[in-house]
Amino acid sequence: MYYGNPKNTGFEMGINFLDAYASKKEEINYFNTRRPYSKVFFLMGSKEEQILNVLHSQNIGKSFNAGLNYTNILSTGFYKRQKTRGNDFHFHSQYETKNKLYGNFANFIYHKMIVEENGGLISDFYFENLDSIRKDAIRVSIQDASNLYNKKSYYLKQYLNFGKREDIFDTKDSVNRSIVSPLVRLAHTFSFEKQIYSY
């Protein structure tokens, strides 16, 4: 165990063992693509473990981008009552004016995970005789316990760029267009998050 400074200010629930599976509003990637971009990832393990991730992002016009990311996790575990089911979805968007004076980033996250608890094996004897016993047939201490973790999050970051104005030549209109070359940025962030944890 070691001490680490908290990254964010505000209330901390202190239950963090499922955080690795949930999207974090500050760590979402934003894209600026000329063509629609999609990625699909699927993994299957030996004990019915499954991970599915689908990402799609595309520009709508030159200044606005929108996309979504969906992840589904399923694992039954080696022993009784180790099943884990999780869904994580987030929608993200990015906008910037043509003159680069104003822009924003926004996202919405929905996350739900259910993790069964078995309280461990009823006896240490089974650890010494695992070769002759099926792991999924060993009795466990708790038969009906599970963790539910649910999160909804809304995030909006807006910014204004201040700097030198430059004229660039627009080949499509054959005229000069004025843009801001950013030197200083003033930003404002709005964030709302609701978390539910039950055992």
Side-chain angles (χ1 to χ4, degrees):
M1 295 179 64
Y2 62 93
Y3 174 77
N5 290 324
K7 294 181 180 179
N8 302 313
T9 58
F11 175 75
E12 172 62 45
M13 191 161 59
I15 302 170
N16 307 111
F17 73 102
L18 295 174
D19 287 355
Y21 305 101
S23 297
K24 299 171 180 63
K25 56 184 177 288
E26 301 88 358
E27 298 178 5
I28 288 176
N29 293 321
Y30 298 89
F31 299 85
N32 187 1
T33 60
R34 294 182 179 179
R35 296 178 180 177
Y37 171 73
S38 296
K39 182 180 82 168
V40 177
F41 173 82
F42 180 72
L43 176 102
M44 180 176 284
S46 61
K47 296 293 290 182
E48 299 182 22
E49 297 95 349
Q50 294 181 13
I51 300 175
L52 171 67
N53 176 252
V54 178
L55 167 68
H56 178 77
S57 181
Q58 72 180 65
N59 277 22
I60 302 169
K62 292 182 178 180
S63 303
F64 181 72
N65 176 274
L68 56 89
N69 191 322
Y70 172 73
T71 303
N72 178 271
I73 297 173
L74 174 65
S75 175
T76 57
F78 290 95
Y79 298 95
K80 285 185 177 180
R81 298 207 47 81
Q82 285 189 322
K83 191 170 185 177
T84 299
R85 299 184 304 276
N87 290 292
D88 185 79
F89 168 82
H90 75 251
F91 170 81
H92 58 269
S93 68
Q94 176 187 6
Y95 171 77
E96 188 174 57
T97 57
K98 290 183 179 180
N99 62 4
K100 300 185 182 299
L101 177 65
Y102 169 81
N104 66 48
F105 301 93
N107 64 61
F108 165 74
I109 298 171
Y110 175 79
H111 177 80
K112 182 178 182 181
M113 182 161 274
I114 300 172
V115 181
E116 293 181 344
E117 295 281 356
N118 62 20
L121 305 183
I122 60 169
S123 173
D124 294 341
F125 165 80
Y126 296 108
F127 284 111
E128 300 169 3
N129 299 278
L130 282 177
D131 294 336
S132 60
I133 303 173
R134 286 179 41 192
K135 292 180 180 179
D136 58 354
I138 300 173
R139 290 175 55 200
V140 293
S141 300
I142 302 174
Q143 300 296 326
D144 59 354
S146 61
N147 298 288
L148 169 65
Y149 177 50
N150 199 327
K151 178 174 84 168
K152 289 182 182 178
S153 171
Y154 303 87
Y155 178 84
L156 173 65
K157 182 173 184 177
Q158 303 178 88
Y159 63 87
L160 286 172
N161 288 323
F162 298 94
K164 184 179 178 181
R165 286 190 173 270
E166 298 178 353
D167 290 332
I168 63 169
F169 183 72
D170 191 337
T171 55
K172 291 185 178 180
D173 291 338
S174 68
V175 295
N176 287 341
R177 184 161 53 93
S178 178
I179 65 168
V180 175
S181 182
L183 295 174
V184 178
R185 175 174 286 181
L186 176 66
H188 172 266
T189 301
F190 168 81
S191 177
F192 174 80
E193 189 171 291
K194 180 181 179 181
Q195 295 185 42
I196 298 172
Y197 174 80
S198 64
Y199 173 75

